[in-house]
Amino acid sequence: MKNYLRYLLLLFTVLISCSVMAQNVVWRDQHQVKRKETIFGIAKEYGVTIQQLIDSNPIMKTPGYELKKGALILVPFAKDGDFRPDGSIMGKTVKPSKADKEAKKKGANAAAIAKQENAIHVGIMLPLHNQDGDGKRMIEFYRGVLLALNEMKSEGITTDVHAWNVPKDADIRTTLSDPNASKLDLIFGPLYSDQVKPLADFCRAHGTKLVIPFSITGNEVENNPNIFQVYQTDESLNSKAIASFLERFQKSHHPVFINCNDANSQVGNFTSLLRKQLDILKIKYSLTSLKSSAADFAKRFDKTRPNVVILNSEKSPQLNEVFAKLAQLKKTNPGIAIALYGYNQWFVYQDYDLDNFFRYNTYIPSTYYYNKSSEKTKSLEAKYNEQYDEPMAKQYIPRLALTGYDQAQFFVRGIKAQGKDFKGVYSDVKYRPLQTRYNFERVGQGGYINNNFQLIHFTTDQKMENLVY
């Protein structure tokens, strides 16, 4: 249902009004409005003031605002000194009546039940603002986290979420001085490398698991057992991509390297390392170029066994030129067999290159896979669009909301099942990821690094395989 009380608008109104300094945005819960509910009734239900509810949902201050069924609103924690909906003051001691005593007893029982539920306390320490690209990307990641937590709530997995806006110039130690920080079981962050050490030291001192969701520099993971580092270095990924290439093609295919004349290529190091490894193993391969004539281009391909093509560019224009050269080659040599070994940047081109991926038996080495045709992915994208009144940003692969969703599902479920003993092992979590599979391995006596690696295979019969290594 589309209406202007969208969670997106709530989040953006809060975030746009933020100062650049780090600050705490703490929400106790999300409440979906039911038919005939009122602001007064919702505030009373959660034991917060009407003003707190309005302040946490600035859209309510909009002239002509109406509470609508199905809308999501943010529920804050009550504060001492605030007036409750019933007129009492939060934190003030008064002589209880008989009715008050009975209510207190019921409240104690409710608190005991809540304690038994063992809510997982989750913190987000990322740049959550609308001032630059980093902030906008992290907002999308955070939305994915919230969608996951809301979904798990329906399964009885409860969480308390504390989110801090921690921009690039923030001193994260200020954020960590917030009393709520020391109560967290799990923190996602930071985005910036200079914030890693103080946050990692804090997590180690308080027994908090720290998930570093994006690429950073430094080696804190080697010394801190509380760190879970999602990012894998280019060196590690290149090594895995070469190993999987050899395992898949060494004995059956003839490698053909195509020079795409891309001066700004990001994959030149990979192709150079692969060629060196082929030289060491004395595996013959051919070299050609997009500038080669059709006749010379065709000579580089083996007519008696399958060929596997490797480009030294990840970019779309060069890939399309290769597709055109291969189409011409297949027209004059219809029996020739071709496979492509590509790059995860190619996932961005699925909207217009998917047929060619299938046609040329494409393999893409990656740590993730955005499957746009998956029904579960479509469902979450539709839910995101409905919830936030805009689609996930298409220019980012992997999709950042899906990244947040998968990470929240993986770690919250893992901690729920194993508590402090959770080590990030894939088989210990009953969750099938939408985009990114996580399987962490320990680094000596330090923390854990995600070791997942896979080949995404677009088969010639229009199917997709996920080959996990």
Side-chain angles (χ1 to χ4, degrees), residues 65 236 322 373 388 404:
Y65 168 80
S236 174
V322 169
S373 62
Y388 305 118

Side-chain angles (χ1 to χ4, degrees), residues 145-190:
V145 171
L146 291 176
L147 286 172
L149 299 182
N150 196 49
E151 183 177 299
M152 285 185 281
K153 181 180 177 182
S154 66
E155 301 175 28
I157 302 176
T158 59
T159 54
D160 286 328
V161 186
H162 297 254
W164 288 265
N165 171 34
V166 188
K168 187 175 181 63
D169 58 353
D171 185 346
I172 200 167
R173 290 170 295 187
T174 302
T175 302
L176 297 175
S177 67
D178 188 307
N180 291 298
S182 61
K183 302 173 184 177
L184 298 172
D185 300 302
L186 173 67
I187 295 176
F188 292 96

Side-chain angles (χ1 to χ4, degrees), residues 6 98 104 110 126 132 169 196 206 218 236 260 353 440 461:
R6 296 290 188 190
K98 183 176 181 180
K104 185 176 181 181
L126 293 166
D132 57 32
D169 58 353
V196 171
H206 292 85
S236 174
C260 297
D353 280 335
F440 289 79
D461 57 353

Side-chain angles (χ1 to χ4, degrees), residues 245 255-259 270-271 274 278 308-312 339-341 343:
F245 178 94
V256 179
F257 289 86
I258 300 179
N259 181 7
F270 166 75
T271 53
L274 177 57
L278 294 175
V308 55
V309 173
I310 310 97
L311 286 60
N312 66 350
L340 275 177
Y341 199 72
Y343 306 102

Side-chain angles (χ1 to χ4, degrees), residues 50 82 122 134 162 192 241 257 266 273 312 339 372-373 404 410:
I50 293 173
D82 289 334
V122 179
D134 284 351
H162 297 254
Y192 305 111
F257 289 86
Q266 299 178 21
L273 291 171
N312 66 350
K372 62 175 294 181
S373 62
F410 181 79

Side-chain angles (χ1 to χ4, degrees), residues 229-352:
Q229 181 177 300
V230 174
Y231 167 71
Q232 299 182 55
T233 65
D234 288 341
E235 181 182 4
S236 174
L237 292 175
N238 281 339
S239 177
K240 292 175 182 177
I242 291 171
S244 64
F245 178 94
L246 295 173
E247 186 271 338
R248 179 69 44 178
F249 302 113
Q250 179 177 357
K251 297 180 180 179
S252 58
H253 287 63
H254 172 65
V256 179
F257 289 86
I258 300 179
N259 181 7
C260 297
N261 306 297
D262 179 7
N264 298 312
S265 170
Q266 299 178 21
V267 298
N269 189 44
F270 166 75
T271 53
S272 295
L273 291 171
L274 177 57
R275 286 176 59 186
K276 287 180 180 178
Q277 190 61 39
L278 294 175
D279 289 335
I280 291 171
L281 297 173
K282 298 182 179 180
I283 297 173
K284 294 182 179 180
Y285 56 85
S286 297
L287 303 176
T288 186
S289 168
L290 286 176
K291 294 182 178 180
S292 299
S293 66
D296 186 69
F297 188 78
K299 288 179 182 179
R300 309 305 169 187
F301 287 77
D302 197 309
K303 308 301 189 297
T304 62
R305 60 179 178 144
N307 300 270
V308 55
V309 173
I310 310 97
L311 286 60
N312 66 350
S313 175
E314 76 288 354
K315 297 183 180 65
S316 179
Q318 286 80 356
L319 177 60
N320 289 330
E321 284 189 62
V322 169
F323 283 143
K325 297 279 281 188
L326 294 178
Q328 185 181 24
L329 174 66
K330 291 282 285 184
K331 186 175 181 179
T332 56
N333 298 271
I336 200 166
I338 299 173
L340 275 177
Y341 199 72
Y343 306 102
N344 55 28
Q345 290 91 338
W346 291 6
F347 289 137
V348 179
Y349 317 143
Q350 287 184 81
D351 285 345
Y352 41 89

